[in-house]
Amino acid sequence: MHTHSVFSDGTSSPEEVVCAAARAGVQLFALADHDTTDGVPRAQAECVRHQIDFVPAVEISTREHDHLHFLGYGVDLQNQRFQQFLAQNRQNRQNRIKQIIRQIAQSGVDLTEEDVFSLAPNTVSRAHVADALKKKKIVPSRQEGFRQFLVPGQVGYVPSAGVTVVEAIREIKLAGGKTVMAHPGLTKDVWNFPPWVEAGLDGLEVFYPSHTYTLKQELLKIARKYDLFATGGSDYHGPHAGRITTLGISIPPPYSDRLLRKLLDK
């Protein structure tokens, strides 16, 4: 329900991600690349081949926190307004990354726009900056690239260029989608559910690898309070991303039952 491919900051093709999902026994799959749906048709075709239930998806970043992201499930891929919205988000990302590259280069590090953008065929991100630093042997890993250059307090940090939370929710809803807050445990310090629910928030990604039992219970309580459905995802970025390498996450009933009703009408 939460995976990434080379169309954003993942390291596998959409087909490779689906094949890995099939091997892991995944029954419901969504490719949710950042600010683009361009890889979705390829993932969908591969899901048909493997007889895996599929939901078109996308992940939208916001400017209110580096990790305050919202997943849009069941969006209309042909919705022109939504595609223009995503295109503007990608342009904002490019502007941010160019500023990051300038700051890093001005600090004396040999890094160019070509180094970074050559690694990003669609949506560019800080991960591509880190990958470029790794490729030039300036850092040993993507994670170290973030730690040394790209997090607050480091020379290459530039605040998120995303939209507001309300804008993200509104655009997903206007494209016919269901809006789910991604990895809420990473952004607990900025939770503000009343206006988000009022804007149309539909669900919470309760079941997530780094969420503790206590946090999951807290999120389920919030979901009940605001009548939000619970979902889950691995946030898989591929075997070479240096992070979560296991695809799929278990969503227990009755939460899985409600999820299937909401997304697949099952």
Side-chain angles (χ1 to χ4, degrees):
M1 294 303 299
H2 186 169
T3 63
H4 298 275
S5 75
V6 292
F7 281 85
S8 62
D9 56 349
T11 62
S12 303
S13 70
E15 292 85 358
E16 289 170 335
V17 180
V18 174
C19 286
R23 289 193 296 270
V26 167
Q27 296 173 297
L28 177 62
F29 180 88
L31 184 71
D33 276 316
H34 293 280
D35 294 314
T36 182
T37 60
D38 289 358
V40 169
R42 287 171 51 176
Q44 184 171 17
E46 194 68 15
C47 280
V48 170
R49 197 169 75 83
H50 288 279
Q51 298 182 315
I52 298 173
D53 283 332
F54 179 84
V55 179
V58 67
E59 185 171 6
I60 306 296
S61 301
T62 75
R63 70 173 67 125
E64 296 172 36
H65 190 287
D66 280 334
H67 301 292
L68 189 54
H69 303 164
F70 290 81
L71 297 155
Y73 291 113
V75 291
D76 176 9
L77 302 184
Q78 307 306 317
N79 185 292
Q80 186 175 5
R81 173 184 171 131
F82 191 63
Q83 290 301 333
Q84 290 172 345
F85 168 71
L86 296 180
Q88 183 60 58
N89 289 354
R90 293 194 297 273
Q91 182 60 55
N92 293 343
R93 280 177 168 274
Q94 287 189 21
N95 296 339
R96 180 195 189 194
I97 297 302
K98 287 178 180 179
Q99 180 61 35
I100 288 172
I101 294 167
R102 280 195 295 271
Q103 291 178 193
I104 292 175
Q106 287 167 1
S107 76
V109 175
D110 178 22
L111 187 70
T112 68
E113 289 187 8
E114 173 62 23
D115 292 332
V116 175
F117 285 93
S118 64
L119 303 178
N122 197 289
T123 300
V124 70
S125 71
R126 289 183 298 165
H128 296 108
V129 178
D131 287 346
L133 291 167
K134 177 186 174 184
K135 187 175 182 180
K136 302 193 83 167
K137 301 188 180 342
I138 295 166
V139 296
S141 66
R142 178 184 280 191
Q143 285 64 39
E144 196 61 19
F146 270 87
R147 192 186 72 80
Q148 290 188 29
F149 292 95
L150 299 169
V151 295
Q154 300 301 334
V155 66
Y157 181 71
V158 174
S160 173
V163 295
T164 67
V165 171
V166 170
E167 286 172 326
I169 294 172
R170 180 191 66 202
E171 294 300 330
I172 290 169
K173 301 293 288 185
L174 287 172
K178 302 286 187 185
T179 307
V180 172
M181 183 184 182
H183 38 64
L186 302 182
T187 57
K188 194 172 181 180
D189 53 330
V190 294
W191 285 358
N192 191 15
F193 288 107
W196 300 347
V197 171
E198 185 178 350
L201 183 65
D202 296 291
L204 296 176
E205 192 174 53
V206 173
F207 304 98
Y208 186 80
S210 65
H211 288 180
T212 64
Y213 173 83
T214 301
L215 177 60
K216 284 185 279 192
Q217 294 306 307
E218 183 178 0
L219 289 167
L220 288 172
K221 185 177 179 181
I222 292 169
R224 286 191 292 271
K225 178 179 179 180
Y226 293 109
D227 193 28
L228 307 173
F229 67 87
T231 184
S234 63
D235 207 356
Y236 179 79
H237 281 69
H240 307 296
R243 50 186 293 172
I244 298 161
T245 57
T246 303
L247 249 171
I249 198 161
S250 179
I251 304 174
Y255 311 111
S256 57
D257 299 333
R258 188 180 185 198
L259 175 65
L260 290 171
R261 287 197 303 272
K262 288 287 186 179
L263 299 184
L264 296 178
D265 295 324
K266 286 196 172 185

